[in-house]
Amino acid sequence: MEIGIFALQGAFLEHRQALEKLGVETTEIRKRAHFCDRLDGVILPGGESTVQGKLLKDEGLFAPLKEAIEGGMPVFGTCAGLILLAGKLTNDENVWLGTMNVSVKRNAYGRQLGSFRADLETAHIGAYPAVFIRAPYIESAGKGVEVLAEHEGKIVAARQANMLATAFHPELTSDLRIHEYFCNTVCAKK
Ligand code: GLN
């Protein structure tokens, strides 16, 4: 199995390290040529979604990525990655890939004081120590979306068909179970 990690901006290295610990091969995607048919799935890391969305377009990666996700390629978006996947942003006029049937609020915990840890109860995984950094949350989830975790009544992890998304950063903890869960869904599809 080989997973592509978008490495245009943000916390991509930590995803690579998490997958390597699980014995999964990875490729960093920076250019159109790196995004190839060989990949079994992709990760959209945390960072700054507006910058990432623009860079994806500038590099000619945006349309092929959207098409691949719509065609069923497994994708895992964390934080800014969730924002890129969202079908609607409630406090931003942009919609990026728009493939996931969720409405997302950016910087939902406040711009500056938005970093915290919380113990979540996560479907399929159990108790999970989550790190949030200027995080979004999912304000509402539509048809086909399975809610995986909530924090104080707000949805912070969800999946829909081939898409998995978290508002927090599983790559910033030593707990590999969410990456493992993603890899298992990729394997199940192969
Ligand atoms: N606040 C960022 C955004 O709106 C996301 C933060 C993150 O990825 N840690 O793009």
Side-chain angles (χ1 to χ4, degrees), residues 107-117 131-136 151-152:
N107 299 308
Y109 300 91
R111 257 178 198 280
Q112 302 307 330
L113 287 171
S115 302
F116 57 94
R117 282 176 180 264
V131 174
F132 293 79
I133 302 172
R134 296 188 312 283
H151 172 60
E152 293 178 348

Side-chain angles (χ1 to χ4, degrees), residues 4 22 35 56-57 69 90 96 101 116 121 131 142 146 167 179:
L22 290 170
F35 186 57
L56 283 170
K57 289 190 173 174
I69 296 171
T90 58
W96 299 100
N101 198 6
F116 57 94
E121 193 49 43
V131 174
E146 181 191 1
H179 286 86

Side-chain angles (χ1 to χ4, degrees), residues 2-187:
E2 185 171 350
I3 303 292
I5 302 169
F6 280 86
L8 296 165
Q9 191 268 343
F12 51 86
L13 185 65
E14 293 83 353
H15 278 292
R16 181 165 200 165
Q17 289 163 345
L19 290 179
E20 279 169 1
K21 282 188 197 146
L22 290 170
V24 174
E25 234 180 287
T26 59
T27 297
E28 290 185 0
I29 305 171
R30 293 195 169 80
K31 293 186 166 87
R32 177 65 187 92
H34 300 156
F35 186 57
C36 54
D37 292 346
R38 198 181 64 232
L39 298 175
D40 299 301
V42 290
I43 290 185
L44 298 170
E48 221 293 319
S49 55
T50 309
V51 174
Q52 292 184 3
K54 285 184 179 147
L55 288 170
L56 283 170
K57 289 190 173 174
D58 290 350
E59 293 299 331
L61 280 160
F62 187 86
L65 171 62
K66 184 170 161 70
E67 201 179 303
I69 296 171
E70 284 167 351
M73 175 181 246
V75 57
F76 177 20
T78 57
C79 202
L82 160 65
I83 294 167
L84 292 178
L85 291 170
K88 185 174 188 274
L89 301 178
T90 58
N91 57 348
D92 187 305
E93 64 198 16
N94 288 308
V95 172
W96 299 100
L97 298 158
T99 49
M100 198 165 174
N101 198 6
V102 290
S103 293
V104 166
K105 183 174 181 182
R106 290 183 67 194
N107 299 308
Y109 300 91
R111 257 178 198 280
Q112 302 307 330
L113 287 171
S115 302
F116 57 94
R117 282 176 180 264
D119 289 320
L120 304 177
E121 193 49 43
T122 308
H124 311 293
I125 289 159
Y128 192 85
V131 174
F132 293 79
I133 302 172
R134 296 188 312 283
Y137 58 61
I138 298 175
E139 282 203 349
S140 62
K143 212 166 161 243
V145 178
E146 181 191 1
V147 173
L148 300 179
E150 292 187 7
H151 172 60
E152 293 178 348
K154 309 294 185 196
I155 303 168
V156 292
R159 69 176 287 195
Q160 178 187 347
N162 53 318
M163 295 168 276
L164 170 67
T166 61
F168 52 92
H169 288 265
E171 78 286 6
L172 298 184
T173 60
S174 53
D175 192 319
L176 300 174
R177 286 174 299 154
I178 294 185
H179 286 86
E180 196 175 22
Y181 174 70
F182 174 62
C183 292
N184 288 341
T185 64
V186 174
C187 269

